[in-house]
Amino acid sequence: DAGITQSPRHKVTETGTPVTLRCHQTENHRYMYWYRQDPGHGLRLIHYSYGVKDTDKGEVSDGYSVSRSKTEDFLLTLESATSSQTSVYFCAISEDEISTEAFFGQGTRLTVV
Amino acid sequence: SQQGEEDPQALSIQEGENATMNCSYKTSINNLQWYRQNSGRGLVHLILIRSNEREKHSGRLRVTLDTSKKSSSLLITASRAADTASYFCATAAIYNFNKFYFGSGTKLNVKP
């Protein structure tokens, strides 16, 4: 997988607690994305980043925040986890406006109990 | 939302047959991409077709794009058991083409 590491790979957390997922890339790609995947919904875009400190909302951004203080790291924070945020979260990167192909991490399985 | 929708949701074929999956979307696009996901893994890029292209080939893959109908199809010829996976289309908006929206996918099962 193209130099993308997601951590943790699995997490169980309690309702109401904050959770941070990390995506780290070694490709120096400009664009980074967070998606969630749920049965019957495919992948839905949560937030994405087009540069350091430049982020934008996706389709399902409520309850999530992101930060990108360095090119290589993109953090996704669930401010107060709810059971509806139980999902598999994928980070993706893409290089620039020309190539636009996205490379995906292995995913983080999050369970909120 | 300009999310793509794949059809059918599931497809089961015998090895050696061709598999065709369709994707429809809602708004004008810069490009459309197809990805494969093996069970429990991340997505892998297969092929990209731009809005000014009508057909593209890559190995056993053939993709068509009809912007007037806002639809695309992915054809896998001479399928193999290893092609068993879920396939997703992703669209990139004409005004923000680094923001990808995925459909719900087609689950392909190729029986040996």
Side-chain angles (χ1 to χ4, degrees):
Chain A
D1 296 309
I4 308 170
T5 305
Q6 290 186 231
S7 58
R9 292 293 313 281
H10 301 270
K11 186 171 182 66
V12 179
T13 192
E14 293 186 348
T15 299
T17 60
V19 176
T20 296
L21 308 182
R22 181 183 184 233
C23 178
H24 178 78
Q25 61 146 330
T26 58
E27 306 294 325
N28 200 36
H29 282 4
R30 178 182 174 187
Y31 296 89
M32 298 186 76
Y33 309 83
W34 278 107
Y35 289 89
R36 60 177 289 175
Q37 185 174 30
D38 305 289
H41 289 280
L43 280 87
R44 291 181 289 176
L45 180 64
I46 304 171
H47 282 280
Y48 85 112
S49 169
Y50 48 97
V52 173
K53 297 187 179 168
D54 292 322
T55 64
D56 196 7
K57 295 180 179 180
E59 305 166 85
V60 290
S61 58
D62 288 348
Y64 301 94
S65 62
V66 289
S67 67
R68 191 167 177 202
S69 58
K70 298 184 288 185
T71 299
E72 57 266 35
D73 289 326
F74 193 33
L75 304 180
L76 176 71
T77 297
L78 288 66
E79 293 137 13
S80 176
T82 67
S83 58
S84 65
Q85 293 176 312
T86 291
S87 187
V88 179
Y89 291 85
F90 285 98
C91 174
I93 63 174
S94 77
E95 186 171 8
D96 55 33
E97 294 86 353
I98 307 301
S99 68
T100 73
E101 170 187 348
F103 300 92
F104 281 79
Q106 293 282 55
T108 294
R109 184 172 294 276
L110 176 68
T111 303
V112 184
V113 298
Chain B
S1 169
Q2 65 168 40
Q3 185 179 26
E5 292 297 330
E6 286 90 343
D7 170 59
Q9 291 187 331
L11 181 60
S12 185
I13 60 174
Q14 292 293 138
E15 209 165 24
E17 294 180 340
N18 294 342
T20 299
M21 288 158 266
N22 302 296
C23 170
S24 59
Y25 56 93
K26 296 177 184 176
T27 62
S28 296
I29 61 171
N30 175 278
N31 66 72
L32 185 145
Q33 303 177 42
W34 286 91
Y35 288 79
R36 184 186 72 222
Q37 184 182 35
N38 291 93
S39 182
R41 304 295 299 272
L43 278 73
V44 174
H45 182 264
L46 294 176
I47 194 165
L48 179 152
I49 187 165
R50 300 194 186 278
S51 58
N52 61 351
E53 297 174 311
R54 291 296 166 258
E55 188 170 311
K56 206 159 181 183
H57 296 256
S58 176
R60 294 184 295 114
L61 305 180
R62 173 180 167 248
V63 169
T64 61
L65 179 65
D66 186 335
T67 53
S68 66
K69 294 181 180 177
K70 291 187 169 61
S71 67
S72 173
S73 67
L74 171 68
L75 168 67
I76 304 174
T77 60
S79 63
R80 306 165 182 167
D83 295 327
T84 294
S86 291
Y87 292 81
F88 296 87
C89 68
T91 54
I94 200 166
Y95 50 85
N96 192 350
F97 47 88
N98 278 98
K99 202 169 177 179
F100 308 108
Y101 291 95
F102 285 81
S104 52
T106 292
K107 197 163 188 176
L108 174 65
N109 179 32
V110 182
K111 294 176 280 187

